[in-house]
């Protein structure tokens, strides 16, 4: 007879409290490993971000140097003073509308060349894709030009706050270079807001003045800078589209002599305009990305040997820089409608520890951005920009983040354990009440029987 083997004893069933503790103990090593992995990942990411910032800074410095050298070369070859040129002439010329008519004439020539020379030669209809795209570019160019020409760039507010010389406005930061006093305009008899300048062509102060453009018959400033930039953009697109299409047709098709002559003239005109407009568009794109005006750019590279290097206090990041000119909504950046956010008087600034002033020996009314004065510290308080890999978080470094994460996980485990115990107690009470009610019901039935 085979021996009877005794059954293996099963382990005792754990109570819910003990089971929750066992689960927490087993999960803790995995939690520690996960936190260690997170810490290493953040530290590695911080190194990568630092390297990327260093590379971006080097590239930005190289682009800035190229822009300054190009401007210096332009001044040397063309014998012009950019600083005086941006201010406009001393007195508005009687022929101020001739440049505007010249621009409109050029646009009419390009449109006629496309409709009456290129489209018949290429066999295109008005509802073709190329025709619709070109007409859209021409329409946006004309709309942007009209908006830039008729929109007032902005003026000093008429409130007594800006006219009382004994009490400077508290929302201004820029100061004069030599006296370090608020910028009082003798010609307008008012204080200048930040980044505002006196325009000789308009005879008044213009908010966030960029330059006086004779081709618009207007000064480019805070309110119409977007329209001016869109005009340059769409004019370049229209010239590029026409030039590429005409060049492709001249290369791949045999055309009559008169048509070939007209198309060659059109190609020469578009090439000439592109050589002028493309660098101008790239220059203004760089200015908008850096949140600088042409006047501030001219002052930034025209430094004396004993002058401090200029740092742009209004450079608050590419996206915010674009919003300061094109508007707060990226959905309408392409449209010649709307305008920049704000009032044109105060602008977001980076926190600077010292005074940074623009040099301008020719015009005593020029702007000289500086750090915040003591008098206006309450109204225009600035926030220091935190540098570092985690500057956009509330944690200083990776170690602080992992410590907070570990504490949070422990709190979650303890809360889950307490919740499990509370649920078990509630379930036990419900079971006890159910058993008690079933017993009372059974006793009452027995009594009835």
């Amino acid at each position: 007879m085979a021996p009877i083997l005794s059954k293996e004893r099963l382990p005792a069933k754990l109570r819910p409290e003990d089971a929750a503790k066992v689960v927490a103990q087993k999960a803790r090593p995995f939690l520690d490993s996960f936190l260690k992995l997170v810490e290493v990942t953040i530290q590695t990411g911080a190194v990568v971000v630092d390297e990327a910032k260093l590379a971006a800074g080097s590239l930005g410095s190289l682009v800035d140097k190229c822009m300054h050298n190009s401007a210096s070369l332009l001044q040397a070859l063309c014998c012009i003073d950019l600083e005086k040129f941006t201010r406009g002439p001393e007195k508005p010329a009687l022929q101020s509308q001739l440049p505007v008519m010249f621009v409109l004439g050029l646009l009419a020539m390009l449109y006629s060349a496309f409709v009456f020379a290129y489209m018949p030669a290429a066999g295109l209809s008005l509802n073709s894709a190329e025709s619709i795209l070109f007409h859209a570019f021409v329409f946006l160019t004309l709309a942007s030009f009209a908006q830039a020409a008729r929109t007032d760039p902005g003026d000093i507010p008429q409130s007594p706050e800006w006219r009382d010389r004994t009490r400077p406005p508290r929302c201004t930061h820029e100061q004069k270079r030599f006296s370090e006093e608020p910028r009082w305009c003798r010609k307008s008899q008012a204080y200048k807001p930040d980044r505002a300048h006196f325009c000789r062509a308009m005879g008044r102060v213009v908010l966030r003045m960029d330059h006086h453009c004779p081709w618009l018959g207007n000064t480019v400033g805070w309110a119409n800078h977007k329209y001016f930039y869109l005009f340059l953009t769409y004019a370049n697109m229209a010239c590029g589209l026409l030039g590429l299409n005409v060049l492709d047709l001249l290369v791949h098709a045999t055309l009559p002599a008169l048509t070939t002559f007209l198309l060659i003239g059109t190609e020469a005109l578009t090439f000439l305009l592109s050589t002028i407009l493309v660098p101008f568009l790239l220059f203004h794109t760089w200015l908008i990305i850096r949140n600088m005006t042409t006047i501030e750019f001219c002052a930034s590279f025209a430094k004396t040997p004993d002058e401090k290097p200029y740092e742009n206090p209004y450079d608050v990041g590419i996206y915010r820089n674009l919003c300061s000119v094109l508007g707060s909504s990226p959905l309408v950046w392409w449209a010649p409608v709307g305008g920049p956010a704000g009032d044109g008087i105060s602008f977001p600034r980076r926190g600077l520890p010292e005074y940074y002033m623009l040099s301008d020996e020719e015009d005593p009314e020029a702007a000289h951005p500086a750090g915040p004065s003591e008098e206006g510290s309450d109204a225009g308080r600035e926030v220091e920009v935190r540098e570092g890999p985690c500057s956009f978080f509330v944690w200083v470094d990776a170690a602080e983040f992992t410590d907070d994460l570990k504490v949070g996980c422990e709190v979650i485990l303890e809360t889950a354990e307490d919740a499990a115990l509370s649920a078990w107690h509630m379930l036990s009470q419900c079971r006890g009440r159910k058993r008690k009610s079933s017993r009372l019901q059974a006793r009452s039935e027995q009594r009835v029987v």
Side-chain angles (χ1 to χ4, degrees), residues 88-353:
E90 290 289 345
K91 296 181 180 180
L94 296 178
Q95 306 89 344
S96 59
Q97 297 302 319
L98 291 180
V100 178
M101 301 303 296
F102 179 73
V103 171
L104 295 177
L106 286 178
L107 291 175
M109 290 175 60
L110 293 177
Y111 180 79
S112 300
F114 182 87
V115 174
F116 301 110
Y118 170 74
M119 288 181 60
L124 298 176
S125 61
L126 284 175
N127 59 354
S128 61
E130 294 180 3
S131 175
I132 293 175
L133 187 61
F134 181 79
H135 280 80
F137 286 155
V138 171
F139 172 76
L140 291 172
T141 301
L142 291 174
S144 301
F145 181 81
Q147 286 281 70
R150 72 180 186 87
T151 302
D152 189 277
D155 196 1
I156 301 177
Q158 299 298 325
S159 60
E161 178 186 6
W162 298 90
R163 311 288 171 175
D164 187 1
R165 190 167 187 177
T166 60
R167 298 180 61 186
R170 296 174 60 85
C171 60
T172 58
H173 296 87
E174 296 180 356
Q175 300 174 348
K176 290 187 177 181
R177 181 170 182 265
F178 298 103
S179 61
E180 297 187 3
E181 296 177 354
R183 300 185 306 142
W184 172 263
C185 181
R186 299 189 300 271
K187 300 176 182 178
S188 300
Q189 290 297 308
Y191 281 104
K192 292 182 182 179
D194 292 345
R195 313 183 78 178
H197 303 267
F198 185 85
C199 178
R200 291 189 288 261
M202 300 188 70
R204 62 179 176 87
V205 174
V206 174
L207 298 181
R208 197 187 177 274
M209 179 178 173
D210 188 89
H211 70 285
H212 177 76
C213 181
W215 307 106
L216 292 176
N218 197 3
T219 299
V220 179
W222 170 75
N224 62 347
H225 196 175
K226 172 185 177 178
Y227 309 133
F228 170 75
Y229 180 73
L230 291 181
F231 166 69
L232 289 179
T233 303
Y234 292 127
N236 276 281
M237 289 182 177
C239 288
L241 179 63
L242 179 58
L244 292 177
N245 288 335
V246 169
L247 181 61
D248 181 72
L249 184 63
L250 290 174
V251 171
H252 296 93
T254 302
L255 304 171
L258 180 60
T259 304
T260 303
F261 175 77
L262 292 176
L263 292 180
I264 290 177
T266 301
E267 183 66 24
L269 179 60
T270 56
F271 178 77
L272 177 62
L273 291 177
S274 297
T275 55
I276 298 174
L277 293 178
V278 170
F280 203 47
L281 175 64
L282 294 177
F283 172 68
H284 276 274
T285 302
W286 175 79
L287 287 179
I288 292 177
I289 290 176
R290 293 293 307 275
N291 203 352
M292 294 178 66
T293 63
T294 304
I295 294 177
E296 293 167 354
F297 168 76
C298 293
S300 67
F301 73 89
K303 300 188 295 294
T304 58
D306 57 342
E307 191 175 355
K308 293 181 180 179
Y310 170 74
E311 288 190 17
N312 181 21
Y314 303 105
D315 187 1
V316 291
I318 295 178
Y319 177 75
R320 295 182 65 188
N321 293 344
L322 292 174
C323 291
S324 66
V325 175
L326 303 180
S328 57
S329 177
L331 299 178
V332 295
W333 282 357
W334 62 274
V337 294
D343 53 3
I345 297 176
S346 57
F347 302 91
R349 293 166 55 98
R350 291 187 303 171
L352 295 179

Side-chain angles (χ1 to χ4, degrees), residues 402-435:
T402 52
D403 291 342
D404 291 347
L405 182 61
K406 186 174 181 179
V407 172
C409 292
E410 291 178 352
V411 171
I412 291 175
L413 287 176
E414 293 177 358
T415 305
E417 184 177 351
D418 295 338
L421 293 176
S422 300
W424 171 253
H425 289 312
M426 292 177 62
L427 183 60
S428 300
Q429 292 178 1
C430 292
R431 287 180 178 178
R433 292 177 181 177
K434 187 176 181 180
R435 290 176 182 176

